[in-house]
Amino acid sequence: MSQFTIHSIQSADAAVKPVLEGSLKKYGFVPNLHGGLAEAPTALKAYIELTSLFDQTSFSPTERQVILLVISVENHCTYCVAAHSMIAKQMAKADPAIVDALRNGKPLPDSELDALASFARAVVKNRGVVCGQTLDKFITAGYSRAQVLEVVLGVAFKTLSNYTNHIIDTPLDTAFQAEAWDAPAQCSSQKCA
């Protein structure tokens, strides 16, 4: 049982009501993640700002969703995997085969996107310590040094939401239920610190 409240526009601090109203306008509902982050207005504002900054990177909408899905799968975030699976398919118009491969940790049918996914996964798994060979493969696939740092931005952005969802036990929104995802069994046996 979570000790946190998923705030509505009405129950949120006055400082974030306009932010939640923006979420309602953008998505047609206030995502539970946003309502949970509203407990700390600066955290919600940071998340929204990081979302905007990540959307301004040089990556295409599909590439951005590849990055965010890989990070969420690697961090075992059931909420974000479901949400970004839906966003990838419906908003970014990503190939469902790519989304399914990402959700299952399989190689992608597109070699360039697979290099992107492999690099993002390595950044998360190795906490930013990425060997030269992995970096070289990413650059050889056609990505730039600037995009290396844009992946790091994606990791920072998604880590904020992944960790928040773990801590506050964010319930999955009805809008994302069709893409519900279960973390691998070995992840559910982790002990709380």
Side-chain angles (χ1 to χ4, degrees):
M1 173 108 181
S2 178
Q3 299 178 21
F4 291 85
T5 300
I6 304 299
H7 289 280
S8 65
I9 294 170
Q10 294 74 28
S11 71
D13 183 280
V16 293
K17 285 184 184 207
V19 178
L20 293 178
E21 288 166 352
S23 297
L24 176 63
K25 185 177 180 182
K26 181 176 181 177
Y27 299 105
F29 66 101
V30 176
N32 287 332
L33 170 61
H34 297 192
L37 282 166
E39 184 73 23
T42 54
L44 176 59
K45 289 177 182 178
Y47 180 78
I48 298 299
E49 184 63 25
L50 286 170
T51 301
S52 175
L53 290 170
F54 190 65
D55 284 347
Q56 295 172 47
T57 64
S58 61
F59 293 115
S60 72
T62 295
E63 289 171 321
R64 289 194 302 270
Q65 291 308 312
V66 165
I67 294 165
L68 299 178
L69 268 166
V70 164
I71 295 163
S72 297
V73 167
E74 205 51 46
N75 284 329
H76 309 135
C77 183
T78 57
Y79 182 94
C80 285
V81 171
H84 286 288
S85 295
M86 183 71 68
I87 293 167
K89 289 177 181 176
Q90 293 189 1
M91 297 173 84
K93 306 295 185 207
D95 180 345
I98 289 171
V99 175
D100 291 342
L102 290 164
R103 289 168 57 99
N104 294 305
K106 304 288 184 198
L108 302 185
D110 176 296
S111 62
E112 190 173 325
L113 290 179
D114 191 57
L116 175 60
S118 295
F119 181 73
R121 187 177 298 110
V123 172
V124 175
K125 267 188 177 181
N126 301 312
R127 296 185 175 117
V129 181
V130 180
C131 70
Q133 189 175 29
T134 303
L135 182 58
D136 291 345
K137 183 180 175 187
F138 182 68
I139 299 294
T140 301
Y143 291 103
S144 70
R145 291 187 309 265
Q147 288 174 313
V148 168
L149 301 177
E150 289 175 345
V151 168
V152 174
L153 171 61
V155 172
F157 157 49
K158 216 24 34 195
T159 300
L160 173 60
S161 62
N162 291 170
Y163 287 13
T164 296
N165 289 321
H166 292 317
I167 292 168
I168 71 172
D169 196 23
T170 310
L172 190 59
D173 300 280
T174 303
F176 305 135
Q177 286 292 332
E179 296 294 340
W181 179 81
D182 289 323
Q186 69 269 20
C187 303
S188 60
S189 64
Q190 293 174 342
K191 303 272 187 225
C192 289

